[in-house]
Amino acid sequence: MATVSFIGSGNIGATVARLAVAAGYDVVVSNSRGPETLADLVKSLGHRARAVTATEAAEAGEFVVVSVPFKAYRELPVVQLADKVVLDTNNYYPQRDGRFSELDEGTTTSAELEQRHLGTARLVKVFNNIYYRHLASLARPVGAADRTALPIASDDANAMKTATAFLDAIGYDAVEVGPLSESWRFEPDTPVYGTPYGSYDTAGTPAGIADVQAAVAAATR
């Protein structure tokens, strides 16, 4: 199996790492505070996991999950991520990230800004529209009648295939939304952001491909 690296190991990053280990992947985790602060997470993940710096994580993974506050996207290691598939879980929250006028005006998307910063890296927007506890509980094996789907977007067809295969391995179907310019359709305050997967105080409600497709199509800007 491939090695999956994580830049950012908070709620979403750690949840995806657990799903990846359960699916047989080796994982490399990192955060902004240093690998020594991830000892408990590594212990819980088991022998397939190790903690390193963010730069080392970018170098180590066949593909890399980025799960940091959006305002920190300019700190991502461009050289080490060159040409790699990057799974971007980030959302723009003005109350946390400060104001970005081009995002407020709808002239671009947060994923496009991150792609612009990363250059030759091949960005896929994914995991940003689901509560981490639902992400942990709704994974199902291939062929399950109650399998849940997640929307994804990318400007690179092969990167989209990599992301789809990873989702499939960890228990989810993918709904391809289109290029990164269309990723606004599953950003905060859209119909597919959180809602299809149930209330935050529950274990989550399965949302299949048709449900997610319909919610994505209902988005307005």
Side-chain angles (χ1 to χ4, degrees), residues 62-64 81 83-87 122-124 158-159 162-163:
E62 276 88 340
F63 57 96
V64 182
L81 291 174
D83 302 318
K84 291 194 175 185
V85 173
V86 172
L87 307 187
R122 297 173 290 151
L123 194 75
V124 182
N158 287 329
T162 296

Side-chain angles (χ1 to χ4, degrees), residues 124-181:
V124 182
K125 186 81 166 183
V126 63
F127 297 124
N128 69 297
N129 75 310
I130 187 169
Y131 185 44
Y132 76 98
R133 288 179 176 165
H134 294 166
L135 182 62
S137 65
L138 291 175
R140 300 289 190 273
V142 175
D146 61 345
R147 208 171 201 224
T148 287
L150 298 173
I152 63 174
S154 181
D155 293 338
D156 186 287
N158 287 329
M160 193 96 80
K161 290 179 181 177
T162 296
T164 297
F166 180 59
L167 284 177
D168 189 49
I170 66 172
Y172 287 89
D173 290 328
V175 170
E176 295 186 8
V177 174
L180 296 177
S181 61

Side-chain angles (χ1 to χ4, degrees), residues 28 38 53 61 74 81 85 90 92 108-110 137 145 153 156 178-179 189 191 193 197 201 206 216:
V28 178
L38 293 168
T53 68
R74 295 188 186 94
L81 291 174
V85 173
N90 299 338
Y92 167 52
T108 190
T109 65
S110 60
S137 65
D156 186 287
D189 300 321
Y193 181 81
Y197 312 109
D201 60 359
V216 167

